[in-house]
Amino acid sequence: MAPLPPTTLSPERQAELDHLYWHTDRTASSIAIEYAVTPHRLATMVSPLPAGAECWLCHAPLCYRNRSERAQAMKLATTKWGGRLVCPCGAQQLRGLLREGLTDTDAAILAPLYTPHGHARRQDPWARYGYYPGTPSRSAVLVQDGVEALAAVGLRWCGTFVKVDELTSPAALVEQLEQTLDTRVLVVPSLTEAMCNEGDSLALFLLLVGRGWRVISSARGVPQGGGYDGWIDEFPASESVVAAAHAPMLRLV
């Protein structure tokens, strides 16, 4: 279908249209009648509304193109449901970025996104981020978990994430973090999944804490089935949870 020819409005008339569409309860149909156009035509005339956030991947300003997109993004900000706002770069946006009442933080998210090699990388430039537009991916999941872990304590992620090479040692990674990041707060998937094996992951945690870093885990430590999927650092009140936490079911997150 050929694109509609542009409709020219005066700056005053355009500002009036944008206000009616974005900041009033009037239906799109009633606004379209006032402007003597169809609702479909109206949608092409309205100026995009800045979302007040940047794309987590390319950092371009995000905009809502219509009311439905804004409503779905607002729903996604506080729930696990709703359509995802998609940046022109192809990256689906994350829950929590547009949530109101959060305090900005400089915390970085550690994402062990081991770089794909060979054919996959050549085929898709996004493969170096472990991200494929329009599909779930390990990178989006890890960053999403970190965003939600920060939002749970009232913090809004600043957009910084660190990719870990599979051959990096814990000491080399700590040096890299301290040279490249301004923050001393790091969000990790779990204390045993921050690197490619559990030993290096735990060594990384101990090195960071010893050098004054605050390490936040985005893992969810909750009683599950016959075991406790988490690290109990105090005596819990529930005897059932204590019993469930006995080895070998205890997992360090």
Side-chain angles (χ1 to χ4, degrees):
M1 181 181 295
L4 295 171
T7 298
T8 303
L9 297 175
S10 67
E12 295 78 12
R13 192 69 167 153
Q14 183 68 54
E16 179 185 58
L17 170 61
D18 293 340
H19 174 76
L20 290 173
Y21 185 82
W22 290 115
H23 304 296
T24 73
D25 294 331
R26 287 187 54 180
T27 65
S29 296
S30 70
I31 299 173
I33 291 173
E34 180 176 332
Y35 280 77
V37 296
T38 66
H40 176 66
R41 179 64 161 173
L42 181 74
T44 68
M45 297 166 56
V46 174
S47 302
L49 179 69
E54 294 182 347
C55 172
W56 69 272
L57 186 57
C58 75
H59 303 296
L62 296 171
C63 291
Y64 303 121
R65 293 168 295 182
N66 52 59
R67 286 176 171 178
S68 296
E69 195 169 67
R70 178 178 63 176
Q72 290 295 322
M74 291 298 99
K75 183 178 182 181
L76 186 63
T78 55
T79 72
K80 294 185 178 181
W81 316 112
R84 290 185 181 264
L85 185 62
V86 179
C87 176
C89 78
Q92 292 184 349
Q93 299 312 295
L94 307 167
R95 291 187 300 272
L97 292 183
L98 303 176
R99 191 175 304 171
E100 297 181 353
L102 299 181
T103 301
D104 291 341
T105 177
D106 63 356
I109 295 175
L110 186 69
L113 314 178
Y114 304 127
T115 305
H117 298 284
H119 183 65
R121 182 194 293 180
R122 293 194 299 270
Q123 269 198 324
D124 189 349
W126 291 91
R128 66 193 181 96
Y129 296 106
Y131 182 88
Y132 298 87
T135 63
S137 69
R138 181 61 173 163
S139 65
V141 169
L142 292 175
V143 174
Q144 179 67 75
D145 287 348
V147 169
E148 292 183 353
L150 290 169
V153 293
L155 300 176
R156 178 181 289 106
W157 179 51
C158 65
T160 300
F161 69 98
V162 180
K163 181 172 69 69
V164 183
D165 185 272
E166 57 264 47
L167 300 180
T168 303
S169 69
L173 180 56
V174 171
E175 183 177 353
Q176 173 192 334
L177 295 174
E178 293 186 336
Q179 289 180 351
T180 59
L181 297 179
D182 294 328
T183 184
R184 303 289 287 188
V185 180
L186 194 67
V187 183
V188 300
S190 80
L191 301 187
T192 54
E193 294 178 354
M195 301 192 74
C196 63
N197 65 72
E198 292 189 357
D200 279 354
S201 298
L202 189 54
L204 174 67
F205 168 69
L206 296 175
L207 283 172
L208 288 170
V209 172
R211 296 172 76 103
W213 284 71
R214 178 185 180 188
V215 181
I216 299 174
S217 171
S218 61
R220 298 173 178 85
V222 295
Q224 294 180 347
Y228 184 82
D229 185 24
W231 179 13
I232 301 177
D233 55 7
E234 294 180 357
F235 289 108
S238 170
E239 293 183 0
S240 60
V241 173
V242 174
H246 288 167
M249 300 303 295
L250 182 61
R251 177 168 176 260
L252 185 68
V253 300

